[in-house]
């Protein structure tokens, strides 16, 4: 089974449980905060990924660490993921879960990637424009990518709008290569 399939299977199971409990949003928030905690600290991440640590010890540690900090659904889910040795997939499971919640709520996920923050006003303007075109509620995340020269990229559902300087330069280069300039035209 591929990484994507494993993540979707676990996310679908959690989505069904959260939907039955009428806690889609709160389950997402809890899972997101726990994933942030687990993956923000190298020592925690290495502990759960280490083949040297006994699997039952990992399971007990996971259960104790989430006890009282998360709902029963999320706590049991984290314990199950650790028990089944799927800790490495938690981030992908969270993303697949978010996509499932978005589908159920008829919402689109918008990710804006830029060199520097675009500012609240620009992000709001982009969000309104995209929301009107897609006719859906939009969930926005902003991401910084220092590799961009300038401009931005917008990812929404399966679409990419590339308004980066690199893309514009590549388009200009391609247009120049397509033009047939006769020899001696610049003499």
């Amino acid at each position: 089974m591929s990484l994507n399939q494993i993540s979707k299977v676990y996310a679908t199971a959690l989505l069904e449980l959260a939907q039955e409990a009428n806690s889609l949003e709160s389950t997402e928030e809890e899972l997101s905060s726990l994933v942030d905690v687990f993956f923000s600290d190298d020592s925690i991440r290495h502990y759960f990924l280490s083949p040297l640590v006994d699997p039952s010890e990992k399971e007990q540690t996971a259960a104790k660490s989430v006890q009282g900090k998360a709902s029963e659904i999320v706590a049991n889910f984290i314990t199950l993921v650790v028990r089944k040795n799927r800790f490495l997939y938690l981030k992908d499971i969270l993303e697949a879960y978010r996509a499932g919640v978005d589908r159920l709520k008829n919402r689109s996920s918008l990710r804006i990637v830029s060199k520097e923050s675009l500012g609240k006003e620009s992000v709001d303007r982009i969000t309104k424009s995209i929301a009107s075109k897609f006719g859906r509620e939009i969930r926005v995340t902003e991401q910084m990518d220092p590799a961009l020269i300038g401009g931005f990229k917008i990812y929404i559902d399966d679409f990419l709008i590339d308004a980066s300087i690199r893309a514009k330069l590549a388009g200009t280069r391609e247009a120049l290569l397509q033009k047939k300039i006769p020899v001696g035209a610049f003499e």
Side-chain angles (χ1 to χ4, degrees), residues 9-186:
V9 167
Y10 280 86
T12 302
L14 181 60
L15 197 61
E16 289 174 7
L17 289 171
Q19 197 171 12
E20 285 175 15
N22 200 22
S23 64
L24 289 172
E25 302 284 337
S26 62
T27 298
E28 180 183 346
E29 290 171 15
E30 289 175 20
L31 185 61
S32 178
S33 65
L34 287 172
V35 167
D36 287 345
V37 168
F38 284 138
F39 286 90
S40 65
D41 187 347
D42 287 342
S43 61
I44 294 172
R45 188 177 69 250
H46 291 307
Y47 173 83
F48 284 107
L49 293 174
S50 174
L52 302 175
V53 179
D54 182 46
S56 62
E57 186 180 321
K58 289 180 192 178
E59 184 181 342
Q60 290 172 357
T61 303
K64 285 179 186 175
S65 65
V66 296
Q67 188 177 25
K69 295 181 179 94
S71 65
E72 186 178 348
I73 292 173
V74 175
N76 289 340
F77 181 76
I78 293 290
T79 306
L80 173 74
V81 167
V82 171
R83 180 183 318 129
K84 296 292 186 179
N85 198 24
R86 301 291 194 222
F87 181 82
L88 180 61
Y89 302 104
L90 264 176
K91 283 185 174 181
D92 297 314
I93 292 169
L94 174 61
E95 289 308 312
Y97 180 84
R98 282 183 175 146
V101 170
D102 287 346
R103 263 191 320 279
L104 289 171
K105 300 255 182 202
N106 194 29
R107 181 171 56 195
S108 290
S109 215
L110 171 71
R111 185 168 50 111
I112 302 171
V113 181
S114 59
K115 183 171 182 77
E116 298 172 352
S117 179
L118 297 178
K120 183 169 175 25
E121 187 178 305
S122 296
V123 170
D124 288 345
R125 206 171 44 237
I126 291 169
T127 304
K128 284 179 186 173
S129 174
I130 298 287
S132 68
K133 293 217 186 294
F134 281 79
R136 294 181 176 188
E137 180 186 337
I138 303 290
R139 178 202 313 233
V140 180
T141 56
E142 200 174 352
Q143 179 182 343
M144 304 311 138
D145 182 1
L148 286 176
I149 299 170
F152 56 87
K153 294 180 181 181
I154 296 175
Y155 298 88
I156 180 157
D157 295 335
D158 293 335
F159 299 101
L160 166 65
I161 301 168
D162 194 346
S164 66
I165 300 296
R166 186 179 311 258
K168 291 185 189 298
L169 288 173
T172 303
R173 179 180 186 270
E174 190 62 35
L176 288 172
L177 289 173
Q178 295 298 321
K179 297 247 184 221
K180 297 198 172 149
I181 301 172
V183 176
F186 293 110

